Amino acid sequence: MKKRFYSHSKLSTFEQCPLKFKYRYIDKIIPEIKKTIEAHLGTCVHSALEWIYTKVKKNHIPSLDEIIVYFSKKWQETYTPDIVIIKEDLTQKDYFNNGINFLVTYYQNHYPFDDNTIDVEKKIKIKLDSNGEYNIIGFIDRLVQNLEKNEFEIHDYKTANSLPTQEKIDNDRQLALYSIAIKEIYGENKEIKLIWHYLAHNKKIISKRTNEQLKNLKKQTLELIKKIESTKKFPPKKSILCKWCEYKNICPLFNKKTKEENSVKISGEIKEKYPTTSKYIKDD
Ligand code: SF4
């Protein structure tokens, strides 16, 4: 039996655009656009927040200055010239300053970071079926054991500008799946709070799931994976997210001209001499 591992982002990519899913996970095409500045900002902010709690666990509460130095170093060390800035009115400096602002505000709201964080970047694995053929893997940004309330908290940081509605959050799949893993470790009847930190809005959104909802979620996720595995056609699906798609330059929805240019005209003489070329050439 071949074990299958899916991440939330793999499932979301299929839902967002089946063609993007095919390019990334089936054809494994290495995109020309390696990384967007939004992804770079997200990685550096996540890394700084992870670093704070790792230090706190070792009994050192970093100063705001230390955090800014850590973030700035991380930004510089991992910044490469091929990072793409899609929004023309913004510069690298704007994104860097956003990162600093997120961290300063987070620091002011959460100092001295004493909420009993028990893990950061915690790897989780969930079996979706009884024989463990289909699995979900992922990482929890931060896990808190709230001893006072006898509950766990799964924290997730978001650096994007968009702010979802409570309804959307109440139907979010990612943290709900992660809570299944935590219940498997600490007990099915443990209360688990799902907490999203929308750093650009200085806003925390909280949600919870019942055991019944989690059971249904497992079932729906397994159905989605089976649908993906039986899919034969992967059409493009246009959305606002196309702007940031790393495959936009090869996507047929945005690349009509290039497709025509790629379709070479060759004379009848060559077609006769090399019949297999007919597959690649355009009829006159
Ligand atoms: S550009 Fe849009 S439609 Fe094309 S592959 Fe990417 S997400 Fe899909």
Side-chain angles (χ1 to χ4, degrees):
M1 179 187 71
K2 188 180 163 236
K3 287 195 175 192
R4 292 147 156 91
F5 295 93
Y6 279 79
S7 64
H8 166 73
S9 91
K10 190 169 176 179
L11 299 177
S12 301
T13 304
F14 181 80
E15 290 166 325
Q16 184 208 322
C17 171
L19 182 60
K20 182 174 171 179
F21 177 90
K22 182 174 179 290
Y23 286 154
R24 187 185 287 173
Y25 296 105
I26 300 175
D27 302 339
K28 297 187 172 35
I29 295 175
I30 297 169
E32 269 177 38
I33 297 175
K34 298 278 187 302
K35 202 177 180 188
T36 61
I37 190 120
E38 286 83 359
H40 181 66
L41 171 66
T43 308
C44 294
V45 170
H46 273 79
S47 175
L49 293 171
E50 182 188 348
W51 182 77
I52 296 175
Y53 287 96
T54 312
K55 290 281 168 198
V56 171
K57 230 177 163 191
K58 291 178 184 160
N59 298 319
H60 170 67
I61 302 173
S63 67
L64 190 50
D65 246 20
E66 283 179 289
I67 291 160
I68 290 171
V69 168
Y70 178 92
F71 174 78
S72 309
K73 270 193 183 165
K74 186 88 193 164
W75 183 279
Q76 274 164 15
E77 282 164 12
T78 53
Y79 198 90
T80 53
D82 57 357
I83 289 179
V84 179
I85 301 176
I86 309 278
K87 291 183 178 169
E88 285 167 3
D89 52 333
L90 296 179
T91 63
Q92 186 200 156
K93 204 169 160 225
D94 293 318
Y95 286 92
F96 174 80
N97 287 341
N98 281 347
I100 298 283
N101 285 334
F102 296 168
L103 292 170
V104 170
T105 312
Y106 188 91
Y107 191 92
Q108 286 163 348
N109 290 341
H110 295 85
Y111 182 87
F113 314 103
D114 56 354
D115 58 2
N116 200 32
T117 292
I118 54 170
D119 220 331
V120 285
E121 282 296 306
K122 182 177 175 58
K123 187 173 184 186
I124 55 103
K125 195 179 117 186
I126 311 147
K127 284 182 196 163
L128 292 175
D129 57 338
S130 52
N131 50 5
E133 187 176 355
Y134 295 94
N135 302 278
I136 293 289
I137 47 167
F139 290 88
I140 293 176
D141 284 345
R142 189 159 65 86
L143 181 65
V144 169
Q145 184 171 18
N146 188 327
L147 296 170
E148 245 173 63
K149 295 186 181 167
N150 192 24
E151 64 183 16
F152 286 86
E153 298 167 3
I154 294 177
H155 291 254
D156 195 66
Y157 310 118
K158 299 288 184 203
T159 51
N161 268 329
S162 56
L163 187 66
T165 59
Q166 183 68 46
E167 193 191 348
K168 200 162 179 229
I169 282 289
D170 289 339
N171 288 297
D172 182 273
R173 181 178 52 219
Q174 185 179 17
L175 297 201
L177 279 175
Y178 295 174
S179 73
I180 295 173
I182 299 306
K183 279 177 179 261
E184 280 173 5
I185 301 169
Y186 295 98
E188 203 195 13
N189 291 323
K190 278 278 172 221
E191 284 293 319
I192 300 186
K193 247 188 208 166
L194 312 177
I195 304 175
W196 288 260
H197 297 262
Y198 280 84
L199 302 172
H201 299 268
N202 187 21
K203 196 168 165 39
K204 216 159 77 168
I205 307 184
I206 301 173
S207 186
K208 275 191 173 184
R209 300 290 184 276
T210 62
N211 284 342
E212 192 57 30
Q213 285 173 316
L214 294 178
K215 210 171 127 195
N216 286 336
L217 178 67
K218 248 180 153 178
K219 203 168 140 240
Q220 286 159 6
T221 309
L222 188 56
E223 281 165 9
L224 174 61
I225 292 177
K226 290 192 174 166
K227 182 181 162 196
I228 293 173
E229 294 195 348
S230 62
T231 295
K232 299 275 180 290
K233 286 190 176 153
F234 296 86
K237 194 165 148 190
K238 203 170 182 178
S239 74
I240 182 80
L241 297 172
C242 291
K243 267 190 189 175
W244 288 270
C245 175
E246 65 271 39
Y247 298 108
K248 199 173 169 189
N249 62 336
I250 54 168
C251 171
L253 291 188
F254 295 92
N255 198 29
K256 289 197 175 78
K257 204 170 159 216
T258 316
K259 211 179 157 195
E260 293 234 311
E261 280 165 7
N262 286 343
S263 184
V264 189
K265 282 188 183 181
I266 301 181
S267 73
E269 196 188 318
I270 291 184
K271 277 190 202 172
E272 271 171 37
K273 208 170 166 190
Y274 305 103
T276 51
T277 54
S278 309
K279 270 201 294 191
Y280 308 103
I281 60 180
K282 196 176 168 184
D283 285 329
D284 296 331

